[in-house]
Each structure stands twice: as C-alpha cells, then as structure tokens.
C-alpha cells in the first residue's frame, strides 16, 4: 500500500520555475555576468551609503514603506496613497494576478513576454494565453483579438523583456481603450527609466485616470538595487487596496527601503546610467548589424539589453558556449520559445567590444 502524501493543486505542476541568468560556466568558472540586465555602473554611492545607515536587522521595517512611497510620489507626481511597494516588481505582478484572476480565468500577454506572467497566471489556477507577436514585439490588434469573456488580466511589458520592443503612448492608450472595463491592465515598466522623457508611454497618466490600470516599476534595473528586491506599483485606490490586503506585511526590508529612498534622491546617477546605456546599446547593436551577412540580427531595443537572433551558420547554442569560453555569461531562452536567440545585457564599453569581437570571430569561423 502506497503512503499517502499531500498533493499540490494541478495547476502548480504546470509551472516551469523561473530560471535566473547564470554567472558561472558549466565548469564553475566565474563569468562576466551579462545575463540578468543588471546596471554595469553598479549602484548609486548615495544608496550604498544608506545601506550602512539603515535601521538594524533586529527591527521590523515600516510595513507601509511610508517614506519611500512619499518620495516616489514626489518624484512622479503621484498621491502616495495610490502607491504600494513590493519585493521587487515580481511580487506585485504576482499579486495583481492573484487579486483579480483564479481557476478558469484567463491572463493575456504577448508571445515572447516576461516569463513571470505565465508563472503568475498558473500560480492562481488561471490560464495563460499568448497573443501573436509582431516581429517579436506586442501587437495591439492581436492582443485585443485574443480577449475573451474569461480574460481578467492583461500584461504588457513596455519596454518588453526579453525582446526590447516598445509601444508608444498612442498604442498603449489604444490597447487600454479596447479592453473591457472589468479587465485589469497591468503595464510593466521595469525598464522605463532607460527611455528619454519624450518617449513616455503614458502609463502613469492612464493609471491616474482609470480604475483598471496598474503600473509596476522596479529599483532592480537602472537604480542598481537588484539584490535588495524593491519594486512599486500605482493604480486606483481599489487596486492598491487589493494588493495591500494580500502582500507580505513586512515585504520590503529596512535596508531596501533606505537604499531605494537614497537612490531616488540621486537622479544624477540615473541620468549617467541612461546615457551610458544609450551609447553602448547603439554601438553594440551596430556591431551586430555589421554581422548581418553572417546571419546575426539585433532586434531594436529600448531596454538595457539586446536580443540577438542567430539565423545563419552560427547558432545561438554554439554562440552561448563560445561566449562562455571567452568569459561572458549571456541569456539563452529556449524555454521562452527563443532557441535561436541570446539576450545580452549592456555592460561596460570594454565588455561590449569584447563580446562583439567574439561574436564576429565565431560567425566568420562558422561560414
């Protein structure tokens, strides 16, 4: 007689756990990590200093992150009461799904979107639905055509991870306008700070005017605080109330709150990071573009990474191995339907030149 045991809900077994970017080669060598979209300039000195001055670990953090929410509100012109903080934006994406979808409901997003959306849907028993893409980017008409009476949440990453695609404000507004009012529209702006101010997609304004829009952001990318796990979201009071009801009661640590607060006050570091990214993103994209006759293609990106497609003799798996041999960890994404691609984070100038030279050497050898 077999021993009885707890059985997980059937939808949990359908989840493929999130796979983070690697930092080591198969043989254990430490590699230059260009696999997790971290800031190559590190962290603001002000934020680093704040980490040493935070409240002691023996004390619980402010459960409402009041000072941090006030500072976020002041920077972006948002009522702090309409802001909720989380353990990275990942927690908030999951909470949004949990709060508004359940078994039998559908959660909609574009093919080649952030892997967490599929996981968030399955965690609460909802059905993940992928709309067709348009050359690896979101297609508003395809998303609207995929909406059904069971759709409860629609995710849009803008800029999108892992492809780098971007929808301008007019298209974001058109997508929102086409959704039923009882569908939650979640606009994931993890990479928004890398955009020039004139390229604002209008998401924060939508969230301030409508009852079914939630915008999420993170301190993990341009602010260089990935290790502290801090994110925030804004939306209508009812949405914020829902997320507050189900989030962890002390979900952002003392150190995280202190570092994020200091980072917000150092917009000079943010500007420097944005400028560095724009310069090196363009240089590296051009270098990959010069290898077009070898079958390499860099998708246009508005994030701090480039998705490189390998459509010639050199395949992505071989390029992944060759870059590791040269000392670099990048992201291969066969689990997201992209076996022909590598996502490469923008690093320092020297790192990007070395990656480009390695790719050229491999592409020429493969001809």
């Amino acid at each position: 007689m077999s021993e009885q045991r707890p059985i997980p809900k059937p939808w949990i077994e359908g989840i493929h756990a999130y796979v983070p970017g690697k930092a080591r080669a198969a043989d254990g060598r430490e590699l230059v990590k260009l696999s997790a979209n971290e800031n190559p300039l590190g962290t603001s000195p002000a934020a680093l200093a704040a980490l040493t001055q935070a409240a002691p670990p023996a004390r619980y953090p402010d459960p409402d992150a009041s000072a941090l929410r006030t500072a976020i509100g002041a920077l972006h012109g948002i009522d702090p009461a309409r802001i909720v903080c989380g353990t990275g934006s990942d927690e908030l994406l999951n909470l949004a799904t949990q709060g508004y979808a359940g078994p039998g409901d559908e959660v909609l997003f574009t093919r080649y979107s952030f892997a967490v959306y599929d996981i968030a849907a399955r965690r609460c028993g909802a059905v993940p639905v992928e709309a067709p893409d348009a050359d690896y980017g979101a297609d508003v008409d395809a998303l609207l055509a995929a909406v059904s009476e069971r759709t409860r949440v629609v995710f849009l990453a803008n800029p999108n991870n892992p492809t780098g695609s971007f929808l301008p404000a007019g298209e974001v507004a058109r997508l929102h306008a086409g959704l039923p009012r009882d569908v939650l529209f979640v606009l994931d702006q993890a990479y928004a700070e890398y955009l020039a101010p004139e390229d604002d997609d209008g998401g924060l304004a939508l969230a301030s005017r409508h009852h079914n829009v939630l915008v999420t952001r993170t301190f993990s990318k341009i602010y260089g605080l990935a290790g502290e796990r801090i994110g925030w979201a804004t939306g209508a009071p009812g949405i914020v109330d829902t997320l507050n009801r189900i989030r962890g009661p002390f979900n952002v640590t003392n150190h995280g709150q202190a570092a994020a607060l200091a980072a917000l006050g150092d917009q000079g570091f943010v500007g420097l990071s944005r400028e560095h990214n724009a310069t090196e993103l363009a240089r590296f994209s051009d270098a990959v573009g010069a290898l077009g006759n070898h079958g390499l293609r860099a998708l246009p990106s508005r994030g701090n990474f480039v998705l490189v497609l390998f459509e010639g003799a050199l395949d992505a798996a071989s390029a992944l191995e060759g870059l590791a041999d040269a000392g670099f960890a990048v992201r291969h994404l066969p689990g997201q339907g992209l076996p022909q691609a590598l996502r490469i984070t923008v690093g320092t100038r020297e790192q990007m030149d070395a990656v480009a030279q390695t790719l050229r050497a491999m592409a020429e050898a493969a001809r």
Side-chain angles (χ1 to χ4, degrees):
M1 180 177 178
S2 62
E3 182 180 358
Q4 289 187 325
R5 59 184 176 85
I7 304 297
K9 294 296 184 181
W11 52 80
I12 299 299
E13 295 184 352
I15 294 175
H16 296 284
Y18 182 81
V19 179
K22 295 181 179 180
R24 293 184 179 275
D27 59 7
R29 285 179 299 117
E30 188 170 353
L31 304 175
V32 174
K33 191 180 178 187
L34 301 178
S35 58
N37 298 344
E38 296 158 333
N39 189 333
L41 302 188
T43 306
S44 158
L48 290 174
L51 285 169
T52 67
Q53 302 164 9
R59 303 299 182 192
Y60 282 111
D62 173 6
D64 298 318
S66 301
L68 179 55
R69 289 190 299 109
T70 296
I72 292 170
L75 180 63
H76 294 285
I78 304 170
D79 179 356
R82 297 173 66 107
I83 297 171
V84 56
C85 293
T87 309
S89 57
D90 286 1
E91 180 191 20
L92 300 167
L93 297 170
N94 278 284
L95 291 177
T97 313
Q98 181 183 347
Y100 291 91
D105 294 332
E106 293 180 350
V107 175
L108 175 63
F109 46 89
T110 299
R111 180 167 49 200
Y112 310 129
S113 291
F114 187 32
V116 164
Y117 305 156
D118 183 279
I119 295 172
R122 296 179 190 275
R123 279 185 64 178
C124 61
V127 178
V129 177
E130 290 188 349
D133 64 293
D135 194 22
Y136 299 94
D139 182 319
V140 170
D141 293 319
L143 280 165
L144 292 176
V147 173
S148 76
E149 62 182 13
R150 292 183 293 176
T151 303
R152 292 293 173 266
V153 179
V154 174
F155 281 112
L156 176 69
N158 206 41
N160 182 55
N161 174 26
T163 67
S165 61
F166 177 73
L167 287 185
E171 285 294 274
V172 172
R174 185 166 75 88
L175 173 57
H176 172 257
L179 296 175
R181 297 299 90 175
D182 62 348
V183 169
L184 178 65
F185 177 39
V186 181
L187 185 56
D188 178 356
Q189 293 186 337
Y191 300 90
E193 287 86 0
Y194 283 107
L195 300 171
E198 60 270 20
D199 292 328
D200 175 26
D201 68 8
L204 293 179
L206 282 176
S208 72
R209 296 196 307 266
H210 298 280
H211 293 286
N212 68 330
V213 179
L214 182 73
V215 173
T216 65
R217 290 204 180 184
T218 184
F219 285 88
S220 295
K221 304 307 177 186
I222 206 167
Y223 285 103
L225 288 169
E228 294 301 321
R229 311 306 302 127
I230 318 137
W232 63 275
T234 183
I239 300 175
V240 170
D241 177 67
T242 296
L243 270 58
N244 274 321
R245 288 173 183 270
I246 57 178
R247 68 174 174 84
F250 300 101
N251 57 341
V252 183
T253 67
N254 287 321
H255 283 77
Q257 292 185 39
L261 187 60
L264 283 174
D266 190 357
Q267 290 299 308
F269 177 80
V270 173
L272 182 66
S273 298
R274 183 185 302 115
E275 292 170 9
H276 170 86
N277 185 73
T279 299
E280 297 309 317
L281 177 68
R283 291 181 65 251
F284 183 68
S285 296
D286 287 345
V288 175
L291 298 174
N293 60 329
H294 295 286
L296 276 65
R297 176 161 70 107
L299 294 182
S301 176
R302 304 297 288 275
N304 68 334
F305 55 87
V306 179
L307 191 73
V308 179
L309 303 180
F310 293 80
E311 302 169 325
L314 176 64
D315 61 79
S318 298
L320 177 74
E321 184 177 347
L323 287 169
D325 289 342
F328 297 97
V330 299
R331 193 72 179 272
H332 191 206
L333 298 163
Q336 288 183 249
L338 292 165
Q340 78 283 23
L342 296 178
R343 193 194 67 191
I344 303 175
T345 303
V346 174
T348 66
R349 172 167 288 220
E350 294 75 19
Q351 290 166 355
M352 302 318 292
D353 285 346
V355 170
Q357 291 166 8
T358 301
L359 289 175
R360 173 173 287 279
M362 288 189 292
E364 290 176 347
R367 290 193 72 174

